[in-house]
Amino acid sequence: MSEATAVKEHISHEHHGFMNTYIFSLDHKMIGKQFLLLGLIMLLLGGGLALLVRWQLAYPEQPLPLIGASQHYLETGEAETAMDSYWDSELSKTEDEQGWLVQKMPVGIITPAFYNALFTMHATIMVFFVVMPILVGAFGNYLIPLMIGTRDMAFPLLNMLSFWIAVVSGAIMLAGFFVPGGHAATGWTGYPPLSTDPAWTGVDWGQNLWCISLIVLGISSLMGSINYITTIINMRAPGMTYMRMPMVIWALFIVAILLLLALPVLTAALAMLVFDRLAGTTFFNPAGGGDPLLWQHLFWFFGHPEVYILILPGMGITSEILPVFSRKPIFGYKAMVLAMASLAFLSWIVWGHHMFQSGMNPSMGMTFMITTMVIAVPSAIKTFNWLGTLWGGSIRFTVPMLNSLAFVSMFVIGGLSGIFMASSAVDIFIHDTYYIVAHIHYVVFGGSIFAIFAGVYYWFPKMFGRMMNEPLAKVHFWLSFIAFNCTFFPMHILGVGGHMRRIYNPMQYEFLQQFEHMNIFITMSAFALGLTQLILLFNVFHSMFRGKKAGDNPWNANTLEWTAATPPPHGNFDAIPTVHHAPYEYSAPGISEDWLSQTNELQPTNGNGH
Amino acid sequence: MLDWLPQNVSTFGSEIDKFFYVIYYITTTVFFLVTAAMIYFLVKYRFQEGKPARYYHGNNTLEIVWTSATLVAMLILAVASKPLWSKIKQNPPPAEVIIKVTGKQYNWEVLYPGPDGAFGTDDDYQVDNNVHVPVNKVVHVLLGSIDVIHSFFVPQLRLKQDAVPGREIVAWFEVTEAGSYEIPCAELCGFGHSGMLGRLIVHSPEEYEQWVGQTWPDN
Ligand code: HEM
Ligand SMILES: [Cu+2]
Ligand SMILES: [Cu+2]
């Protein structure tokens, strides 16, 4: 196996001081933690936007709680509460003098234009600034060098730049909220012509900043992915063959390849969109010979690999945790790797399933229906192998395990709901309804976010040297699991009832009147789900400083990160470890413990060799 | 769960529903089997003192069996869905009534050809949002848009088709029951997207004749 080439330079670049340690750190572990922090902050914001959306859907055009005007004020015009006086004074100003809040939600009622910006930014932030930074940025950076047994990433400087460019991109994205005309309001999918001409939405620089931010983020992803690929190919510890790599490393490796190939497609599409908006080109404008569907092809050619970018690391984390807490080798290692590779390959040829009703030539519907049906197969293989891993185990219900089990069962629901939409005929009815919203959230929240929970609980002791509070973590898990299902399962029913997505007020439609109570129930569950996440945040920050000290290997796990000191020092290992066997040799016969670090030999030797 | 489907009143709608049901039964069964297996394993193989885990790496026969079984099932589903898809989106039956519907922020502009049966002539009749059609007749809708993408959605017909500027897309339906149905726009089209709502008024043959006589311009 290849040597860790960067060792020498690496040790010498160790500087001290606050700036170099915490801000412009070149250490992959600090960069991983920085991505985690970025993601968690954005999670709060993205979640908050979702709750505003949910409020509007349950109580359309009613003032928000706490900040909205009182009923008394709305009826009589007499200010009763402090907020009433605030709204009263704001509304008496001229339009240019009015504050930000009153433009977005006069008297606490969300306007339709702001509502569109809310769900657009909710999805954009969750996909690009929460799930990607945490699953790919944080876990990727933190875990890759530690788990393949090297001292750092191949290109530490590129790694640092990748983080700070992501921060710049985030700042550009957030700036969009405060420009005249408001933020992008065309959905996270940004379909033209709605997104190309400010005349259609009233949104001007908001949409431009949305494009620019994502272009900048693409640069950050590119840097990250090149780094991951190079590191994994070149810097594995001696004995760490490809087929001895932990599943999460396989997942991140495949994701890095997807990122490398998919993000440039989005960047190209975004550049065309910016040109259409600012330079008068007509890529997407039929009047100038362009085609609105061109965007959809480009977007989804990126977009479907993107959804696998969001889920593969979660699959990897789950595959990591299930064997540890079943105390058993993973079932079908090779099949699992092959399944992930085929998911990655197939993800390039299914994009048309997002466009069945778009006006794309319907004979392509059949092709995309077949490929989409086929992509369900590797997903099924993964599920069966996870079940196989549980079979015959000695299962410990730790918090990472509970979250991983939730991942598996929620992913099953999300995968199965995908089959309905994969059938292009059935999709005619459920496309653009809440059925899709339910599907998305079962895979991305039930999947990716539960995997994030699992991963944070599992690797926290290594990252911060302390255990997280277990009772609190269990409360967080069960409340999240229940509230998640109460929030998103009923959305399948809304979808079956024909409830469109991205509408401001369902009560404008006769056929949706019957769903008023269900929408209220969903909203209350969503608020419960949101509040529950405060437990997680408290636990993370409290345990970071006050948690019980963790040993080097609190879970008795085999992979290399657990052989490093806790928390690992700069350079990770005293000496580069040598790997002797596959990562999941738990409960091997002839060994007194039920685990066996990858650095120890599988067959006990008699001292004189074989 | 499928009781929540809106009443169906189109010829192909019941076939879509049939598929919906078939997939629903298959996926629900799979879900319960997987969940049952999982719960069974979790209980049976929970940590117990003195009962070690099995040292077992997998089974290639099983891998091949479950891979090919799901592959075959998925391909059957895809191939079985094809005729219905073609019927709805590719090979419409010959038109008995033709209308033009054009999306524009935030209305459906409906154009009837008038007594001469041709569009673009003086006797065309145009109205916003109200689509009048006869029951039990094949209606072709020539769908377009003058600004952004909209989507023509009639839940009770199980019909959805995006309206794209720069293209004319033919959607069709045959309604089996007279009545009045909503036509929401299903594709985000701006701040007025919610509430962009047309109405499909399906007349009995006599009523339809009467409506044509009263509203269409004389030739
Ligand atoms: C068994 C596997 C899957 C199948 C068959 C499947 C199928 C589909 C189909 C056909 C659509 C388009 C529906 C429509 O718009 O009418 C869709 C949408 C979507 N899927 Fe999946 N899917 C699968 C797994 C996943 C996974 C693993 C993820 C992500 C982690 C995912 C994320 C999404 C998202 C985000 C959308 C909605 C995009 C949007 O319109 O905003 N899907 N899926
Ligand atoms: Cu897709
Ligand atoms: Cu619309």
Side-chain angles (χ1 to χ4, degrees):
Chain A
M1 251 322 99
S2 55
E3 271 301 321
T5 45
V7 178
K8 277 221 191 74
E9 303 93 285
H10 198 81
I11 307 243
S12 67
H13 82 226
E14 186 175 1
H15 306 294
H16 294 285
F18 182 80
M19 285 303 264
N20 286 325
T21 314
Y22 294 105
I23 311 292
F24 298 110
S25 172
L26 299 178
D27 186 304
H28 71 100
K29 298 183 290 297
M30 183 51 67
I31 296 172
K33 290 177 193 175
Q34 289 170 330
F35 269 114
L36 182 62
L37 188 67
L38 172 72
L40 289 177
I41 293 171
M42 290 301 223
L43 179 64
L44 274 182
L45 178 65
L49 300 180
L51 294 184
L52 291 175
V53 168
R54 275 316 318 173
W55 174 267
Q56 164 64 23
L57 286 169
Y59 307 103
E61 300 174 62
Q62 290 180 35
L64 287 155
L66 304 178
I67 68 164
S70 67
Q71 206 53 42
H72 181 76
Y73 175 73
L74 292 181
E75 276 160 19
T76 64
E78 297 164 23
E80 198 179 51
T81 64
M83 278 318 288
D84 290 349
S85 329
Y86 168 77
W87 294 119
D88 204 54
S89 74
E90 282 290 322
L91 287 171
S92 61
K93 292 179 187 163
T94 64
E95 214 168 298
D96 340 312
E97 283 174 348
Q98 280 175 351
W100 185 85
L101 205 57
V102 74
Q103 291 172 14
K104 308 295 171 191
M105 41 176 110
V107 302
I109 298 174
I110 296 164
T111 63
F114 187 49
Y115 176 83
N116 290 357
L118 284 174
F119 67 70
T120 301
M121 293 319 298
H122 159 68
T124 304
I125 286 177
M126 287 302 192
V127 168
F128 294 102
F129 294 98
V130 177
V131 176
M132 284 171 76
I134 297 184
L135 278 181
V136 186
F139 288 119
N141 270 303
Y142 195 84
L143 296 178
I144 290 174
L146 276 167
M147 293 183 87
I148 64 171
T150 183
R151 298 191 184 276
D152 205 323
M153 286 288 181
F155 310 114
L157 182 65
L158 202 63
N159 208 13
M160 176 193 82
L161 285 175
S162 146
F163 174 73
W164 284 104
I165 290 176
V167 172
V168 170
S169 156
I172 297 173
M173 192 56 90
L174 296 187
F177 280 107
F178 304 102
V179 295
H183 214 322
T186 54
W188 83 285
T189 51
Y191 280 10
L194 192 63
S195 57
T196 42
D197 190 341
W200 307 133
T201 51
V203 175
D204 192 0
W205 269 89
Q207 190 79 47
N208 297 343
L209 291 177
W210 183 84
C211 295
I212 294 167
S213 163
L214 292 182
I215 291 175
V216 173
L217 192 67
I219 301 173
S220 157
S221 293
L222 207 60
M223 292 176 159
S225 55
I226 291 170
N227 220 342
Y228 290 7
I229 294 171
T230 315
T231 307
I232 293 175
I233 292 182
N234 289 323
M235 294 171 68
R236 280 167 289 127
M240 180 61 85
T241 60
Y242 282 111
M243 282 300 158
R244 285 179 182 173
M245 288 201 310
M247 290 299 290
V248 71
I249 300 300
W250 264 113
L252 289 163
F253 185 41
I254 293 171
V255 161
I257 297 171
L258 288 180
L259 276 172
L260 184 71
L261 301 176
L263 260 288
V265 179
L266 177 66
T267 304
L270 289 165
M272 291 157 91
L273 189 56
V274 172
F275 280 127
D276 270 14
R277 290 180 65 82
L278 297 178
T281 56
T282 54
F283 292 111
F284 307 123
N285 181 353
D291 186 347
L293 292 197
L294 173 61
W295 166 271
Q296 297 186 24
H297 282 293
L298 291 170
F299 184 87
W300 291 118
F301 187 72
F302 145 80
H304 196 90
E306 169 67 17
V307 307
Y308 282 92
I309 291 168
L310 301 178
I311 198 74
L312 280 168
M315 292 178 163
I317 289 173
T318 298
S319 305
E320 215 48 49
I321 290 174
L322 291 185
V324 174
F325 296 107
S326 308
R327 312 309 295 164
K328 193 175 162 267
I330 196 165
F331 195 96
Y333 178 94
K334 268 195 195 141
M336 293 290 250
V337 172
L338 276 176
M340 286 203 289
S342 35
L343 278 177
F345 173 74
L346 289 168
S347 74
W348 295 103
I349 52 171
V350 298
W351 80 91
H353 64 218
H354 297 275
M355 298 172 62
F356 285 141
Q357 321 312 329
S358 69
M360 169 181 79
N361 185 335
S363 55
M364 284 162 78
M366 179 63 186
T367 316
F368 284 115
M369 172 160 54
I370 292 183
T371 54
T372 303
M373 291 284 182
V374 171
I375 207 172
V377 175
S379 308
I381 297 176
K382 305 241 35 141
T383 306
F384 293 141
N385 281 291
W386 286 323
L387 289 181
T389 303
L390 297 176
W391 171 81
S394 171
I395 299 168
R396 327 282 153 116
F397 293 97
T398 60
V399 179
M401 184 67 168
L402 290 174
N403 282 285
S404 296
L405 293 169
F407 172 97
V408 175
S409 51
M410 299 301 96
F411 176 73
V412 168
I413 298 183
L416 290 173
S417 69
I419 297 175
F420 289 78
M421 295 120 60
S423 168
S424 54
V426 174
D427 185 67
I428 297 173
F429 180 61
I430 51 182
H431 174 66
D432 267 330
T433 67
Y434 263 79
Y435 204 88
I436 311 302
V437 180
H439 167 73
I440 300 174
H441 288 91
Y442 267 86
V443 282
V444 182
F445 196 132
S448 312
I449 302 268
F450 273 98
I452 288 177
F453 294 161
V456 167
Y457 286 122
Y458 182 65
W459 281 294
F460 189 90
K462 184 55 67 180
M463 288 181 161
F464 298 101
R466 290 170 187 275
M467 304 298 289
M468 288 183 74
N469 181 307
E470 171 143 357
L472 215 52
K474 286 206 162 141
V475 171
H476 167 252
F477 167 73
W478 283 110
L479 288 180
S480 295
F481 186 72
I482 293 166
F484 166 80
N485 280 291
C486 290
T487 305
F488 294 108
F489 196 83
M491 289 187 187
H492 291 108
I493 298 176
L494 294 183
V496 170
H499 193 309
M500 293 79 70
R501 66 195 281 202
R502 295 173 173 170
I503 54 172
Y504 172 68
N505 183 352
M507 299 308 284
Q508 288 166 317
Y509 305 87
E510 278 163 29
F511 77 109
L512 298 180
Q513 298 295 321
Q514 52 172 335
F515 292 120
E516 183 178 13
H517 297 291
M518 201 174 288
N519 266 323
I520 292 175
F521 174 77
I522 290 175
T523 295
M524 294 199 302
S525 309
F527 274 82
L529 184 59
L531 287 177
T532 303
Q533 303 322 309
L534 299 180
I535 303 178
L536 174 71
L537 286 181
F538 172 79
N539 201 347
V540 165
F541 290 107
H542 185 262
S543 307
M544 221 180 263
F545 303 105
R546 292 282 156 77
K548 205 170 74 198
K549 284 255 193 262
D552 285 351
N553 190 358
W555 313 116
N556 289 339
N558 293 352
T559 40
L560 295 181
E561 76 274 29
W562 304 107
T563 63
T566 287
H570 195 74
N572 297 343
F573 303 96
D574 296 339
I576 292 294
T578 302
V579 173
H580 292 283
H581 56 81
Y584 307 111
E585 298 303 309
Y586 290 97
S587 303
I591 291 169
S592 53
E593 286 107 6
D594 64 355
W595 59 286
L596 181 70
S597 171
Q598 279 192 286
T599 54
N600 293 344
E601 291 188 35
L602 184 54
Q603 308 295 339
T605 50
N606 54 20
N608 301 328
H610 306 269
Chain B
M1 184 163 90
L2 297 188
D3 298 343
W4 292 91
L5 276 170
Q7 170 210 17
N8 166 60
V9 297
S10 83
T11 46
F12 53 68
S14 53
E15 291 176 66
I16 292 186
D17 288 359
K18 200 173 74 196
F19 259 92
F20 211 139
Y21 274 93
V22 169
I23 300 178
Y24 176 69
Y25 290 128
I26 296 174
T27 52
T28 313
T29 312
V30 171
F31 172 73
F32 280 111
L33 288 178
V34 167
T35 308
M38 186 160 157
I39 291 174
Y40 176 73
F41 291 168
L42 291 180
V43 174
K44 174 132 192 254
Y45 300 111
R46 69 189 184 281
F47 164 70
Q48 283 158 307
E49 212 54 68
K51 200 174 143 212
R54 249 176 228 148
Y55 182 67
Y56 191 78
H57 287 88
N59 179 321
N60 285 338
T61 319
L62 262 180
E63 302 285 352
I64 293 168
V65 168
W66 62 44
T67 304
S68 19
T70 30
L71 185 63
V72 169
M74 298 316 291
L75 286 179
I76 291 178
L77 212 53
V79 172
S81 299
K82 153 83 174 149
L84 181 57
W85 170 253
S86 300
K87 172 172 163 182
I88 300 172
K89 295 274 177 170
Q90 274 175 298
N91 311 313
E96 293 169 287
V97 175
I98 302 186
I99 54 173
K100 248 185 193 176
V101 173
T102 307
K104 59 178 184 191
Q105 284 183 331
Y106 301 104
N107 286 291
W108 297 112
E109 197 178 276
V110 189
L111 187 69
Y112 302 86
D116 68 354
F119 290 105
T121 50
D122 284 345
D123 67 349
D124 290 1
Y125 171 67
Q126 186 189 319
V127 65
D128 272 355
N129 292 324
N130 287 339
V131 180
H132 293 264
V133 296
V135 74
N136 293 327
K137 287 271 190 287
V138 174
V139 179
H140 281 204
V141 180
L142 311 183
L143 203 53
S145 166
I146 58 168
D147 41 37
V148 300
I149 300 177
H150 303 271
S151 189
F152 188 85
F153 179 32
V154 191
Q156 286 86 350
L157 302 186
R158 310 288 187 265
L159 173 67
K160 187 179 286 124
Q161 176 59 58
D162 287 3
V164 184
R167 307 187 172 216
E168 189 174 80
I169 299 168
V170 183
W172 75 275
F173 56 80
E174 181 180 341
V175 194
T176 54
E177 226 170 284
S180 161
Y181 311 99
E182 286 168 297
I183 314 175
C185 171
E187 182 68 59
L188 177 64
C189 57
F191 66 80
H193 164 56
S194 184
M196 173 167 170
L197 184 57
R199 195 159 271 286
L200 177 70
I201 301 135
V202 184
H203 298 285
S204 65
E206 309 78 55
E207 240 181 52
Y208 183 70
E209 285 312 314
Q210 206 181 347
W211 173 80
V212 166
Q214 278 169 3
T215 40
W216 286 14
D218 296 322
N219 208 336

